[in-house]
Structures are given as structure tokens and as C-alpha cells.
């Protein structure tokens, strides 16, 4: 059974930093790209970042480019999102989602974690 | 970015009757390779989203047959043939034909 378990969400002050983690199980982690998608509570979904299975390629939404860094450790089957210079508008539930298998188009999102809440406030 | 507009925003439905949600794109979602990367997601109250349908009409494993997707180009539809209480949720369409992937604003399905 595919499982994704996020952690690391917290209350942080504007300008602060946070690292989110997502531990995967139930599939060959290195064979899949992974993405982060966020959702302001009560609002819609927004794709944030993606990384290829081998970490060769990384992609970011314009709103987080230069501030967030996606990475992964395939031995630990863990996806990360390093978030710096946090702004009030970054406050959201952050979901990790399984993305494309090799040689497939991104934007699959066939499995999602339960999410981790990031609050940004002084 | 590609804009997806869903209608209606709120959909009160009667149990056992059909329901239909529209998703319109401001650009064609036909990829240069010929596929159309339009998916539908269901988010029940207090839960994370789950994919129901991908590439317009392919149901994911375990998704009940009462859910179906159709459409082409810029106009797409999610249909529920007979609504059950378990279908109360917000439904989102999403396109991955054009980068970055984008979602519709959501349609809230509730029981009358």
C-alpha cells in the first residue's frame, strides 16, 4: 500500500525558515518524481514544486522560486522541502504527492499524504 | 499559467440522482504528443485530495463506476451517475498538459 507521511509543519515568523519532510512507503521511491502541493485552509490547491526520481531535475512555482528548495534522499525514501524567507502568503497545508513514473509526464498526483500545516505569523 | 474554471461552485444534489461538474480551460489541453492531461480529484471534508480520474476519462483503481469523465480540447465534465452520501466533497479538475500544473477552484457537492 502506498503511503506518504509528511512532517515538519510549524508556526514560524515572517522571514523564518522551515524544512518539511515526506516519508514514502509501498512503492519504489526512486522510480517516481515527487511534488509538493499546498492548500490554504478553506481554499484551493496550488502546485509548489517537483523533483525527478534521480534528483536531476527540479521545478518550482514562480511564487516560491529562489526561496524554496526541493530535494530527496532515495535511500531514506524521503522527500524534503526547505522553505526560507517565509511570507504570510506561504501559510498553508503542504501535501506531498507521488508524481510521474520514469518517462511519463509530470502532474500525476496519484497518491497524497495527509498534509502538514505551516503557519506564518509574528 | 492555464486557467481552469469550474462550474458550478456549489452543487446541491439529491441522493440517487445524477450530478455534473464542468471544467473549462482557457487553452486547449491537448498535449503535442496527443494525450490530454486533465484529471479530477475528490477531497472529502477533513481529508487530503484523492485522484478519481486521469487523462480525461480513465478511472483510478478503486474508484466507483458511478464516476465518469468526458470532454476534449477546452471543455471537460465529471459526472456522478447516482449520488451517494459518501460523495459529499469538493471536486477539483487539474491540467498537466501545460507547465505548471494548475487546478480549478473547486466545486462543493452537498446533499440537499
Amino acid at each position: 500500500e502506498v503511503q506518504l507521511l509528511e512532517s515538519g509543519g510549524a508556526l514560524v515568523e515572517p522571514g523564518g525558515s522551515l524544512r518539511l519532510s515526506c516519508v514514502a512507503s509501498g512503492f519504489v521511491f526512486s522510480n517516481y518524481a515527487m511534488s509538493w502541493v499546498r492548500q490554504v485552509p478553506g481554499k484551493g490547491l496550488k502546485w509548489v514544486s517537483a523533483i525527478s526520481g534521480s534528483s536531476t531535475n527540479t521545478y518550482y512555482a514562480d511564487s516560491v522560486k529562489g526561496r524554496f528548495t526541493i530535494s530527496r534522499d532515495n535511500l531514506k525514501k524521503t522527500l524534503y522541502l526547505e522553505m526560507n524567507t517565509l511570507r504570510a502568503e506561504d501559510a498553508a497545508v503542504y501535501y506531498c504527492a507521488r508524481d510521474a513514473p520514469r518517462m511519463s509526464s509530470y502532474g500525476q498526483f496519484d497518491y497524497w499524504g495527509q498534509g502538514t500545516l505551516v503557519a506564518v505569523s509574528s | 499559467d492555464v486557467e481552469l474554471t469550474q462550474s458550478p461552485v456549489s452543487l446541491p444534489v439529491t441522493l440517487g440522482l445524477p450530478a455534473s461538474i464542468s471544467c473549462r480551460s482557457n487553452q486547449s489541453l491537448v498535449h503535442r504528443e496527443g494525450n490530454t492531461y486533465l484529471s479530477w480529484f475528490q477531497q472529502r471534508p477533513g481529508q487530503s485530495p484523492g485522484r478519481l480520474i486521469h487523462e480525461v476519462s480513465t478511472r483510478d483503481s478503486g474508484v466507483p463506476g458511478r464516476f465518469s469523465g468526458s470532454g476534449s480540447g477546452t471543455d471537460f465534465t465529471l459526472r456522478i451517475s447516482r449520488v451517494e452520501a459518501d460523495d459529499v466533497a469538493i471536486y477539483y479538475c487539474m491540467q498537466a498538459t501545460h507547465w505548471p500544473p494548475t487546478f480549478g477552484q473547486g466545486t462543493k457537492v452537498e446533499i440537499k
Side-chain angles (χ1 to χ4, degrees):
Chain A
E1 180 194 4
V2 172
Q3 290 194 333
L4 299 169
L5 186 62
E6 302 97 333
S7 62
L11 171 62
V12 61
E13 291 186 350
S17 298
L18 208 56
R19 187 174 86 155
L20 306 182
S21 300
C22 170
V23 177
S25 61
F27 65 101
V28 181
F29 184 63
S30 59
N31 283 355
Y32 287 82
M34 296 292 294
S35 276
W36 289 97
V37 178
R38 69 186 182 187
Q39 183 176 37
V40 174
K43 302 295 184 183
L45 299 163
K46 183 173 168 63
W47 171 82
V48 173
S49 183
I51 185 169
S52 62
S54 60
S55 302
T56 302
N57 299 306
T58 57
Y59 307 92
Y60 299 94
D62 287 345
S63 57
V64 306
K65 206 172 289 184
R67 300 187 299 121
F68 288 13
T69 302
I70 191 171
S71 63
R72 63 192 294 162
D73 184 331
N74 285 344
L75 289 178
K76 293 183 178 178
K77 300 181 185 178
T78 303
L79 174 73
Y80 302 102
L81 187 67
E82 187 79 36
M83 310 163 69
N84 296 317
T85 320
L86 281 161
R87 306 168 179 166
E89 55 265 33
D90 295 318
V93 174
Y94 283 74
Y95 296 101
C96 68
R98 192 174 80 167
D99 209 322
R102 285 181 199 163
M103 307 305 291
S104 295
S105 294
Y106 282 73
Q108 301 286 333
F109 307 155
D110 58 348
Y111 289 92
W112 298 60
Q114 87 292 346
T116 188
L117 179 62
V118 173
V120 182
S121 176
S122 52
Chain B
D1 296 0
V2 171
E3 260 186 49
L4 298 178
T5 302
Q6 292 183 228
S7 60
V9 171
S10 177
L11 182 58
V13 297
T14 301
L15 289 174
L17 292 187
S20 181
I21 299 169
S22 168
C23 175
R24 288 203 166 99
S25 172
N26 64 351
Q27 297 182 37
S28 172
L29 298 185
V30 180
H31 194 272
R32 60 179 181 275
E33 70 188 29
N35 293 344
T36 299
Y37 297 108
L38 187 286
S39 300
W40 290 94
F41 294 84
Q42 176 193 61
Q43 187 173 30
R44 295 190 177 104
Q47 295 187 15
S48 52
R51 196 176 71 177
L52 294 175
I53 285 170
H54 62 279
E55 291 183 55
V56 181
S57 59
T58 303
R59 267 194 309 277
D60 275 274
S61 175
V63 173
R66 63 180 182 276
F67 289 93
S68 64
S70 63
S72 63
T74 60
D75 290 336
F76 303 91
T77 302
L78 175 70
R79 288 188 177 86
I80 310 174
S81 59
R82 289 175 299 279
V83 172
E84 297 186 3
D86 197 41
D87 301 335
V88 167
I90 299 175
Y91 293 83
Y92 297 92
C93 59
M94 187 208 78
Q95 70 79 29
T97 295
H98 303 283
W99 199 257
T102 51
F103 293 85
Q105 82 277 26
T107 294
K108 187 173 185 177
V109 170
E110 50 197 6
I111 305 301
K112 278 185 189 172

